[in-house]
Amino acid sequence: MKWYLLKTWVGKEEDLVKEIRNRIPSSMYEECFVIYQERVWRKQQKSVIHVESLFPGCVFLTCQETEPLFRSLKRIPVVTKLMGTRDLEILPLRQEDVDFLVQISGKNHIVKLSYVVKDDQGQIYKISDPLKACLDQIERYQFKKRYVMVRHRLWGEDKAIVMGIILKEDAVEMRQHVDIK
């Protein structure tokens, strides 16, 4: 299966996904999707989980045969407009990019919150997946804002990827059971 990255306008990712799903026969591609991530927002001393795009402006497309698909893409008015203004790039992904994206987001294409446990001195001693897979790439933790910044090379660029975390107090407050291995 070949993966492609379609770079478009930030905030218009779902519009592009809908256009592709509505106008291109599903037999021409496997999936068209946006990779999302769970994040914890702290509002008025309460933790709230929400979902947002992990890579703003990015749509992913998987297929076996690219030529018929690309011909069909060029017949979609929104796509031709984006291509004409050079606001749409279509990039093939390397297998290592695909492996990393699948590892962190799974089959549902959602990067789940990673459970992080700190000791009494504030030192981390346990981390769950998906962040556990990126331990050697962590640049910094922002416990107050409930995220970790990871540096990873994707589609030929060094990317700073922000991944959501959940702390023990969040799990207790939200009465969520978190199984950490």
Side-chain angles (χ1 to χ4, degrees):
M1 187 67 50
K2 297 174 186 170
W3 279 51
Y4 291 89
L5 167 64
L6 286 68
K7 286 188 172 182
T8 186
W9 294 320
V10 173
K12 297 294 184 183
E13 305 90 349
E14 279 299 330
D15 294 343
L16 182 56
V17 169
K18 284 178 189 169
E19 284 292 318
I20 290 170
R21 287 180 180 164
N22 287 336
R23 295 180 180 257
I24 295 182
S26 60
S27 61
M28 297 182 93
Y29 64 95
E30 183 78 19
E31 290 184 283
C32 184
F33 57 92
V34 175
I35 296 178
Y36 290 101
Q37 68 166 324
E38 292 180 338
R39 291 288 302 273
V40 174
W41 280 351
R42 295 288 297 164
K43 290 184 179 180
Q44 300 171 343
Q45 285 90 36
K46 295 207 183 280
S47 298
V48 178
I49 296 175
H50 79 281
V51 177
E52 62 187 44
S53 177
L54 181 62
F55 302 108
C58 295
V59 171
F60 298 87
L61 186 67
T62 64
C63 65
Q64 292 288 348
E65 294 295 321
T66 55
E67 269 315 304
L69 176 64
F70 289 160
R71 278 196 305 272
S72 294
L73 274 174
K74 290 177 182 176
R75 286 189 227 127
I76 300 174
V78 171
V79 172
T80 53
K81 179 181 174 188
L82 289 169
M83 289 175 126
T85 60
R86 303 215 188 278
D87 289 327
L88 178 70
E89 286 183 75
I90 301 174
L91 306 170
L93 293 185
R94 299 172 312 172
Q95 190 58 48
E96 53 264 28
D97 294 344
V98 172
D99 294 343
F100 176 75
L101 295 173
V102 168
Q103 183 179 23
I104 65 169
S105 69
K107 292 179 182 175
N108 294 331
H109 311 297
I110 298 176
V111 179
K112 298 289 188 184
L113 292 169
S114 294
Y115 188 58
V116 175
V117 181
K118 300 184 293 180
D119 62 19
D120 295 337
Q121 286 77 40
Q123 299 299 312
I124 296 165
Y125 69 92
K126 283 187 183 177
I127 297 176
S128 72
D129 283 329
L131 188 56
K132 192 175 189 177
C134 308
L135 281 178
D136 58 337
Q137 300 166 316
I138 295 172
E139 279 196 353
R140 74 170 185 255
Y141 291 90
Q142 276 288 358
F143 295 114
K144 272 188 163 177
K145 295 188 178 184
R146 306 301 197 263
Y147 74 82
V148 172
M149 184 171 293
V150 171
R151 176 109 9 222
H152 189 83
R153 190 155 187 82
L154 283 171
W155 39 92
E157 303 172 10
D158 275 340
K159 291 278 189 196
I161 304 167
V162 175
M163 297 173 70
I165 60 173
I166 187 168
L167 304 176
K168 184 178 181 178
E169 57 264 31
D170 302 321
V172 169
E173 173 190 318
M174 293 185 278
R175 294 187 171 98
Q176 287 198 337
H177 172 71
V178 181
D179 184 28
I180 188 165
K181 296 174 185 165

